Amino acid sequence: MASNEFQSLQGMSDIQAPEIYLWRMMEERARSVFNSYSYEELRTPVLEKLSVFQRSLGDTTDVVKKEMYSFKPSKHELAMRPEGTAGTIRHLAGRGEEGLNARVFYIGPMFRYERPQAGRKRQFHQVGVEATGEPNPLADAEAIALQKSLLDAWGLTGSKIQVSTRGEPSDRKPVADGLRAALQPHLNDLCEDCQRRIDENVLRVIDCKNESCQKIVDQIPSAIEFMSDASRAYLDQVIQALENMGIDVTVNPKLIRGLDYYVHTVWEISHSALGAQDALAGGGRYEIALGKKAIPGVGFAVGFERAIMALEACGITGGKFAPEGGLWLVSLGDAALAENMKLAAQLRAKGIRCGMELANKSMKAQMRKANRSGAAKVIIRGDDEIEKGIVTVKDMAEGSQEELNLEDLIRDA
RNA sequence: GUGAUUGUAGCUCAGUUGGUUAGAGCGUCUGGUUGUGGUCCAGAAAGUCGCGGGUUCGAAUCCCGUCUUUCACCCCA
């Protein structure tokens, strides 16, 4: 089978039935949930100028540094979007005042050149939202509530919401300095990676998976303790607002989120079914400057591939959402086949799911197909029926049959 | 980028220390006498054993390369 020519690219897969029905369910319900929170859909291009991502995600992040599909077809260096926020903000920034108070969502493919792994593809799919506006703990809480509504709508259970804060930009230095000072005495006990991280990105030491590093991290003060009173108060207000809405979250000061643009609230939703990459969704408050003015907002993204892994662990699979019901037309003889083509067109015009065999096959074969299609009823027509202007209708579940006038069938269908 | 791992019919997999026409189950198709499915029975079609080299009288089985799968690190959704 699969010769190389028929293989899709590494980390990029074809999504087909029955899994596709799960995707469709998720997309449809996502749109419905977003509508209930009065968010509008925004579709931005997959390609943007490379600078759009460099400026919003940060030059130093791995995503920008080494995971982007970029190329230069003409004047500008372009890149395929590795996430949805940058393009969305690029769009909103162009809408002036209106863009500073917008609520939009997106659904679509994202691209990152990484080694594929559980729940990680090179072309992967996200649904996300962005709500722009000045920092407001209630907005952050609402975004988390919206995300929870989304997962609930999909029927996903067993996920965990963890919340933390990055503080304000002015907190960054005190936090980094404070953590470095606290870690310094333990330097030799940290893993190799972490010894490097202390200088490069000290926050990453906090969520190192190495057990011995974790022991040390547990001993030192959390990043939040080095932040200003205002930053801590902001987080408290978010937690309070979530409590008021009855949303259960865990405050985890060790939660680190990588992108540079985050300020204040950050959060992550994880699920035990996912393996090492257990985050199926993440979000946070950000401030993104593309031009002179920074755009403040809050948003989140959910990974479809990972959400699907979690859903399947909950026993929710695509097959459950496969289309079924409707009719199947069985034709005996060429005359009936021609007549059924006409009938099918009439039924389909009424929006009825309607299948039929277009080749001259045995009745047995046609019935088998009808059964497989999930049709509720089968319309059987041969020379007899054509002559009398009737159809034989068989109920597939009960096995019962009756004869109907053709006109009655078309009218009542 | 680092370290492992996978690749045999549409799908899930067997294939013994390299040896004649590569197997099974599921699925598909066709039948089981006049126009009836989901069960049962019978039969059939379907693989240049991921791709390319090499070793050998002979390779799905050994070696090298390459693509791909899966997993962990890294990073992230």
Side-chain angles (χ1 to χ4, degrees):
Chain A
M1 41 136 257
S3 77
N4 286 350
E5 288 88 285
F6 302 140
Q7 263 172 5
S8 59
L9 291 171
Q10 181 173 22
M12 304 197 177
S13 35
D14 304 316
I15 305 158
Q16 61 173 343
E19 196 193 283
I20 194 73
Y21 298 121
L22 196 51
W23 287 73
R24 275 162 49 168
M25 176 281 281
M26 292 166 73
E27 288 163 3
E28 279 159 23
R29 292 188 187 173
R31 290 194 165 92
S32 154
V33 168
F34 294 144
N35 179 53
S36 72
Y37 278 75
S38 67
Y39 277 65
E40 299 288 350
E41 181 164 5
L42 175 69
R43 300 192 192 188
T44 64
V46 166
L47 276 178
E48 297 272 0
K49 283 186 199 160
L50 178 64
S51 58
V52 168
F53 303 113
Q54 289 174 324
R55 283 194 214 142
S56 47
L57 306 187
D59 272 340
T60 55
T61 52
D62 277 23
V63 170
V64 169
K65 267 199 305 192
K66 48 190 189 191
E67 294 176 1
M68 283 208 291
Y69 284 93
S70 59
F71 57 101
K72 195 174 178 184
S74 60
K75 249 188 205 168
H76 299 292
E77 185 130 25
L78 308 181
M80 294 172 83
R81 61 181 184 197
E83 52 87 68
T85 301
T88 302
I89 295 301
R90 192 264 311 137
H91 166 87
L92 293 176
R95 270 168 49 178
E97 283 299 308
E98 191 183 51
L100 294 175
N101 200 357
R103 306 173 124 209
V104 297
F105 72 92
Y106 56 82
I107 299 181
M110 309 291 164
F111 302 84
R112 262 128 92 161
Y113 188 80
E114 300 179 274
R115 289 282 288 275
Q117 211 178 307
R120 172 197 287 178
K121 297 276 184 192
R122 287 182 171 176
Q123 175 175 335
F124 62 105
H125 301 77
Q126 288 187 334
V127 49
V129 311
E130 310 296 346
T132 52
E134 289 302 318
N136 176 351
L138 295 181
D140 301 11
E142 194 195 55
I144 295 173
L146 167 52
Q147 197 169 13
K148 174 121 191 356
S149 301
L150 177 62
L151 301 187
D152 288 345
W154 287 344
L156 182 61
T157 54
S159 60
K160 247 193 233 152
I161 308 177
Q162 298 189 322
V163 181
S164 184
T165 180
R166 285 288 301 266
E168 289 165 10
S170 60
D171 288 322
R172 301 242 165 125
K173 195 165 181 316
V175 167
D177 291 347
L179 288 176
R180 279 195 194 105
L183 287 167
Q184 206 58 44
H186 307 282
L187 188 59
N188 293 328
D189 299 324
L190 291 171
C191 70
E192 247 178 69
D193 284 333
C194 284
Q195 299 197 12
R196 177 176 50 79
R197 286 178 180 133
I198 280 199
D199 294 323
E200 285 180 7
N201 190 350
V202 69
L203 285 176
R204 282 283 161 218
V205 178
I206 306 301
D207 69 347
C208 178
K209 282 174 190 161
N210 198 307
E211 233 175 88
S212 57
C213 294
Q214 276 308 305
K215 269 187 198 159
I216 294 166
V217 170
D218 286 340
Q219 292 169 33
I220 67 168
S222 77
I224 296 178
E225 289 174 54
F226 297 107
M227 290 176 189
S228 67
D229 291 345
S231 292
R232 293 214 295 262
Y234 190 100
L235 176 63
D236 289 341
Q237 289 175 60
V238 174
I239 303 301
Q240 188 58 51
L242 286 167
E243 224 167 81
N244 290 345
M245 285 186 283
I247 293 174
D248 196 23
V249 301
T250 308
V251 177
N252 178 7
K254 290 202 243 171
L255 174 70
I256 302 300
R257 297 194 45 82
L259 304 177
D260 282 357
Y261 55 47
Y262 286 117
V263 297
H264 283 305
T265 322
V266 290
W267 71 90
E268 207 166 273
I269 300 185
S270 57
H271 198 278
S272 58
L274 264 49
Q277 271 69 42
D278 65 348
L280 66 89
R285 171 157 291 284
Y286 52 77
E287 218 153 88
I288 297 176
L290 286 173
K292 288 174 195 163
K293 231 200 231 165
I295 294 194
V298 61
F300 66 75
V302 183
F304 266 89
E305 282 82 357
R306 291 189 189 178
I308 284 171
M309 284 174 75
L311 282 172
E312 284 174 347
C314 294
I316 299 170
T317 57
K320 293 191 173 169
F321 303 96
E324 54 179 20
L327 303 173
W328 189 273
L329 307 191
V330 167
S331 329
L332 299 162
D334 290 337
L337 185 54
E339 284 302 314
N340 273 345
M341 284 291 278
K342 276 195 261 177
L343 176 56
Q346 285 175 288
L347 294 168
R348 287 164 177 164
K350 294 181 130 190
I352 295 166
R353 181 169 186 259
C354 184
M356 62 182 287
E357 171 63 59
L358 298 179
N360 210 341
K361 294 262 189 177
S362 73
M363 180 156 197
K364 188 172 193 158
Q366 294 190 59
M367 288 300 292
R368 264 201 280 257
K369 277 206 179 179
N371 183 56
R372 234 177 299 149
S373 83
K377 291 185 176 179
V378 170
I379 310 294
I380 302 165
R381 292 172 98 190
D383 293 338
D384 286 357
E385 284 88 350
I386 301 284
E387 206 174 302
K388 293 186 196 158
I390 60 166
V391 294
T392 301
V393 180
K394 175 162 186 170
D395 184 300
M396 291 300 268
E398 291 176 18
S400 58
Q401 269 179 218
E402 58 176 341
E403 293 189 343
L404 283 182
N405 282 324
L406 182 58
E407 296 83 47
D408 294 345
L409 172 79
I410 295 171
R411 179 162 30 79
D412 301 341

